Amino acid sequence: MKIKEVNFYYFNAPFHSPIITPKVQMTHRKALIVEFITDKNQSYFGECNAFETNWYDKETIYSVKSILEDLARNIKGVIFNSFADWEPYLNQLESFPAARCTAVMAIYQMYHQLPSFTVEYGATASGLTKSQLQTLQTTQPPRIKLKWSNHLNEDIRKLDTHLKHNYYLALDANESLTISDLEKVEQVTSQNIIYIEEPFKSLSLLNEVDLNNYPPIAVDEKALNEEAIISIIEHYPIEVVVIKPFRVGGIDKAQQLIQTVHQHQVKVVVGGMYEYGLSRYFTALLAKEGDYPGDITPDGYYFKEDFTQGIGKLKEGLIHFNPPMINKTQLIPYE
């Protein structure tokens, strides 16, 4: 096949409840969407997980768009008979993992039959508003990841009081804690905390704490690539690695990393980034290979609107995914 055209769009929907983390507050999620059109007029889409600003990662939707515009100029008219034929062009994106992930999401679909499947539901609660608490009561996720805040113990008590189903609890600190902050976890005894994500900005602080008194420690933001992950595993007491496809360069890179981490006897969680249905499908596809439920939410959990409405239907704690169908009329051309 040949690539005839590459188009860019965006989608910008409000969250049901604002996202509040130690680093940012968000009311909307703007996403960049890329479309590859072949000489047979087939369209393949990729969703970018970067944000408008660099609050979470150095790549933004604007830098990704610029990189992919350069890629588009190089690939138009080129024949690609297999995924491997893309390797020389994808290699040029090695330093831009979010851009590579966006492109690979579309390219992967050209050569793979996308399956239907079922995966466990892993919710993330941020700020724990009444709306979020009601959603958790209704949907009963098997895993809840709670964003760290000054109201951590109060939030956990709310969960204990209002939720009647059994669930695993994970805590996400986003590199925001001091050692004294971490000691607050010892006061939390009501739930089985399966891991704490990124408690410290510096991993060296882990060597100053008796981790026997705490749940397993997970790396997230620092899990950049295979070299970084293996170095961390070998030098620090890390028991869980959160692998996010957009950070490591896409679904193919993530699949390789999951195998590598498991070979080192370390557990894997697949992370998402407040995604719309297209990206959520691929995160869920990878999450099947994880050891705990990933950041996989059902249709409508974060947003009322989506350009792939109906992706991920919840039933009894499991989410059922079918291959995503894009409603192109909902996408806004990105000039």
Side-chain angles (χ1 to χ4, degrees):
M1 69 175 68
K2 288 183 182 180
I3 301 302
K4 183 175 68 173
E5 194 62 58
V6 178
N7 297 321
F8 296 92
Y9 307 90
Y10 71 88
F11 189 77
N12 192 21
F15 290 101
H16 287 307
S17 299
I19 297 299
I20 303 171
T21 80
K23 292 184 177 181
V24 74
Q25 296 187 26
M26 296 184 293
T27 59
H28 289 69
R29 177 54 151 136
K30 185 175 183 178
L32 171 70
I33 312 299
V34 63
E35 177 190 26
F36 290 79
I37 304 177
T38 71
D39 54 345
K40 296 182 180 179
N41 289 321
Q42 295 171 301
S43 287
Y44 300 93
F45 294 86
E47 175 184 334
C48 175
N49 289 154
F51 294 92
E52 288 186 86
T53 67
N54 61 354
W55 74 269
Y56 188 81
D57 189 78
K58 64 180 181 180
E59 288 183 86
T60 67
I61 60 175
Y62 308 109
S63 68
V64 168
K65 181 173 182 286
S66 178
I67 293 297
L68 295 184
E69 284 173 335
D70 289 340
L71 175 69
R73 285 189 283 269
N74 293 331
I75 63 175
K76 287 181 182 178
V78 177
I79 297 174
F80 297 98
N81 292 318
S82 68
F83 190 88
D85 288 344
W86 286 86
E87 185 173 349
Y89 299 91
L90 294 177
N91 287 344
Q92 298 173 21
L93 306 181
E94 286 292 326
S95 299
F96 310 99
R100 188 185 187 281
C101 178
T102 306
V104 167
M105 192 180 299
I107 296 165
Y108 185 90
Q109 298 173 65
M110 300 176 188
Y111 308 101
H112 296 82
Q113 184 69 38
L114 299 185
S116 297
F117 59 91
T118 299
V119 68
E120 283 192 294
Y121 167 25
T124 297
S126 174
L128 207 59
T129 63
K130 289 183 179 180
S131 174
Q132 283 188 327
L133 195 57
Q134 181 60 53
T135 298
L136 295 174
Q137 286 179 284
T138 302
T139 59
Q140 300 186 7
R143 186 223 71 181
I144 298 173
K145 183 166 73 176
L146 192 61
K147 292 287 186 178
W148 197 285
S149 73
N150 293 330
H151 311 290
L152 176 67
N153 288 342
E154 179 184 345
D155 287 345
I156 292 176
R157 282 194 293 271
K158 287 180 182 178
L159 294 178
D160 289 344
T161 301
H162 292 89
L163 303 188
K164 306 306 179 184
H165 71 287
N166 295 323
Y167 61 92
Y168 296 111
L169 180 64
L171 303 179
D172 185 2
N174 287 115
E175 301 181 324
S176 65
L177 305 188
T178 64
I179 291 176
S180 60
D181 291 327
L182 185 64
E183 291 170 352
K184 296 177 183 178
V185 175
E186 292 186 277
Q187 305 169 22
V188 181
T189 58
S190 60
Q191 285 294 334
N192 176 26
I193 300 174
I194 52 175
Y195 57 86
I196 303 175
E197 276 187 34
E198 293 283 3
F200 305 130
K201 184 73 172 178
S202 172
L203 286 170
S204 63
L205 290 179
L206 293 174
N207 295 328
E208 300 179 25
V209 180
D210 181 3
L211 292 178
N212 291 320
N213 298 325
Y214 299 98
I217 301 298
V219 289
D220 177 8
E221 284 90 344
K222 299 176 181 66
L224 299 173
N225 50 49
E226 181 173 337
E227 181 181 7
I229 291 170
I230 298 308
S231 177
I232 290 170
I233 290 172
E234 291 178 346
H235 291 91
Y236 299 99
I238 298 299
E239 297 183 49
V240 182
V241 173
V242 179
I243 294 177
K244 288 181 174 171
F246 94 99
R247 186 189 291 123
V248 302
I251 184 172
D252 58 326
K253 295 277 192 180
Q255 288 171 326
Q256 295 169 10
L257 277 172
I258 291 170
Q259 294 178 11
T260 300
V261 171
H262 279 157
Q263 288 169 0
H264 285 75
Q265 307 303 309
V266 172
K267 297 185 184 299
V268 167
V269 174
V270 175
M273 290 303 297
Y274 310 115
E275 301 152 305
Y276 294 109
L278 174 59
S279 183
R280 194 157 42 88
Y281 173 90
F282 286 95
T283 301
L285 187 62
L286 287 166
K288 295 198 305 172
E289 303 176 42
D291 298 283
Y292 295 119
D295 297 336
I296 313 301
T297 50
D299 178 52
Y301 180 83
Y302 288 119
F303 314 100
K304 181 179 179 181
E305 303 171 61
D306 199 319
F307 60 93
T308 55
Q309 202 74 37
I311 294 297
K313 291 298 184 181
L314 178 66
K315 184 178 181 181
E316 298 178 352
L318 297 175
I319 305 179
H320 301 260
F321 282 89
N322 291 316
M325 301 292 291
I326 308 302
N327 184 349
K328 192 172 172 178
T329 62
Q330 291 186 282
L331 301 177
I332 301 172
Y334 207 136
E335 302 300 338

